[in-house]
Amino acid sequence: MDYKVYLMLGFHINFYHSWRGDTPDEAGFGTDMRVIRGVLDMLDQANAAGKKARGYWDTEVYWTFQEILPKHCPDILERIRARVSAGQDEIVLGPFNNGANHAATADEFRAAVSWAIENPWGSGLRQLFPKVTPFYRPQESVFTTGQEQILKECGVEGLMLYYALVPFNTLGVFTPALSLERRHNPFWFRSHADQPPLVVFPAMSAADVIEMTSLETMLLDLHTRQVRGEIRSDVVIHLNEDADLESWLPFKLPRCLRWFPNTGGLDEYIRLVNKYPWADFTVPSEYLTGHPPQGEVLVRQDLADGAFDGSYSW
């Protein structure tokens, strides 16, 4: 059987930063606006040229979609909405206001999730977009034991959490080593036996790509293992990064050095996926349609991403 290697790109939007200012310039969220417009340009230009290029956007709601985008950059909202409406990209939930979900009461957490979907101010993602993928990407991957029930009550079916070789990581040290098929496919997750299972799409960051040399190396390695019979399924390389990360944009290098891996930004990823007939882009709901979760992972510890696992780093 001819198996494929998919690439799923997650752009994490949050214009309100603890380490940068609150102004629409490079000292503040002007960086977010510049990089996200660059990402949208690359996606739109690739699609206009007949190339495969897509991803999903996960976001908090209050600061970005209610306060900042309408005032400072409504074009970004309209361009993402257009791509979601066309079925090219997907929009994924995040907490309403980046609140400390791990410190929330049950009612506070329920509000953080439900208000991200719909709220009295009209900024809920279901109020802004024609379709919302029922997955939840916690801010900083913070997840506390027992939150599954509330997420399910709010209509959330799954989580985006890191299973990575290098930081950021959440699940890696709390589970036995997962096989490549499991690591690159969705699986069931719960934090306690009495909680309903959620689907987890294990993610990694650009640091994992560099650890494996390059995205092309990862693609070729996984496909070679498929051809050899070591991997007997489709697999997905799931990269989730802040949407304001400069590495989404190509480095400004002399022409003679532009071949160097990991310097071409999103354009490099698009070129590589379109280079190989067995490679393709995907988005969460589409991949799940043909690839139901396999196996279950039980993690009883609190989670957060960073250089340590659990909530230690926070």
Side-chain angles (χ1 to χ4, degrees), residues 227-248:
V227 172
R228 290 175 180 167
E230 298 173 22
I231 295 177
R232 297 179 179 275
S233 71
D234 292 333
V235 291
V236 57
I237 298 172
H238 177 196
L239 302 181
N240 182 284
E241 289 276 14
D242 288 358
D244 65 334
L245 197 67
E246 294 280 357
S247 62
W248 287 120

Side-chain angles (χ1 to χ4, degrees), residues 15 18 53 55 85 91 95 103 111 122 127 145-146 173 176 186 192 235 246 254-255 296:
F15 279 44
S18 61
S85 298
I91 193 82
Q127 295 161 295
T145 302
V173 302
H192 197 274
V235 291
E246 294 280 357
R255 184 178 298 274
E296 181 175 316

Side-chain angles (χ1 to χ4, degrees), residues 156-177:
V156 174
E157 299 296 328
L159 293 166
M160 303 299 189
L161 295 173
Y162 288 101
Y163 182 99
L165 298 174
V166 294
F168 298 120
N169 186 30
T170 56
L171 299 169
V173 302
F174 296 135
T175 68

Side-chain angles (χ1 to χ4, degrees), residues 35-254:
V35 175
I36 291 173
R37 284 173 176 142
V39 167
L40 287 165
D41 286 345
M42 287 182 279
L43 290 170
D44 288 343
Q45 288 165 10
N47 293 147
K51 296 179 182 178
K52 297 177 287 188
R54 61 197 310 212
Y56 72 87
W57 306 81
D58 71 79
T59 181
E60 55 79 34
V61 170
Y62 174 75
W63 300 107
T64 301
F65 279 83
Q66 183 170 318
E67 295 294 316
I68 297 175
L69 261 65
K71 180 178 180 180
H72 295 282
C73 47
D75 60 297
I76 290 177
L77 172 57
E78 291 306 317
R79 292 180 70 181
I80 295 175
R81 194 197 330 253
R83 292 189 59 83
V84 173
S85 298
Q88 295 167 312
D89 295 353
E90 291 191 341
I91 193 82
V92 169
L93 295 163
F96 175 69
N97 68 342
N98 278 0
N101 285 350
H102 60 296
T105 66
D107 286 342
E108 289 169 341
F109 181 61
R110 188 176 289 106
V113 179
S114 62
W115 284 355
I117 302 170
E118 291 188 26
N119 61 57
W121 307 280
S123 60
L125 296 184
R126 190 178 291 165
Q127 295 161 295
L128 297 176
F129 293 91
K131 177 184 177 183
V132 178
T133 301
F135 267 67
Y136 186 77
R137 198 275 202 183
Q139 178 68 12
E140 313 297 0
S141 298
V142 171
F143 183 88
T144 296
T145 302
Q147 290 183 331
E148 297 99 308
Q149 185 65 50
I150 293 175
L151 287 166
K152 292 287 283 188
E153 289 172 5
C154 294
V156 174
E157 299 296 328
L159 293 166
M160 303 299 189
L161 295 173
Y162 288 101
Y163 182 99
L165 298 174
V166 294
F168 298 120
N169 186 30
T170 56
L171 299 169
V173 302
F174 296 135
T175 68
L178 300 180
S179 68
L180 287 173
E181 288 182 11
R182 183 76 62 81
R183 190 186 310 168
H184 292 284
N185 269 297
F187 51 73
W188 293 110
F189 164 90
R190 69 176 91 204
S191 65
H192 197 274
D194 66 358
Q195 291 293 303
L198 295 172
V199 180
V200 160
F201 253 119
M204 62 184 74
S205 72
D208 280 82
V209 175
I210 295 171
E211 180 79 4
M212 296 295 291
T213 306
S214 68
L215 178 65
E216 186 164 28
T217 299
M218 293 183 72
L219 289 166
L220 291 170
D221 177 69
L222 289 170
H223 184 62
T224 298
R225 293 174 185 270
Q226 290 172 328
V227 172
R228 290 175 180 167
E230 298 173 22
I231 295 177
R232 297 179 179 275
S233 71
D234 292 333
V235 291
V236 57
I237 298 172
H238 177 196
L239 302 181
N240 182 284
E241 289 276 14
D242 288 358
D244 65 334
L245 197 67
E246 294 280 357
S247 62
W248 287 120
L249 305 180
F251 289 16
K252 295 180 180 179
L253 296 174

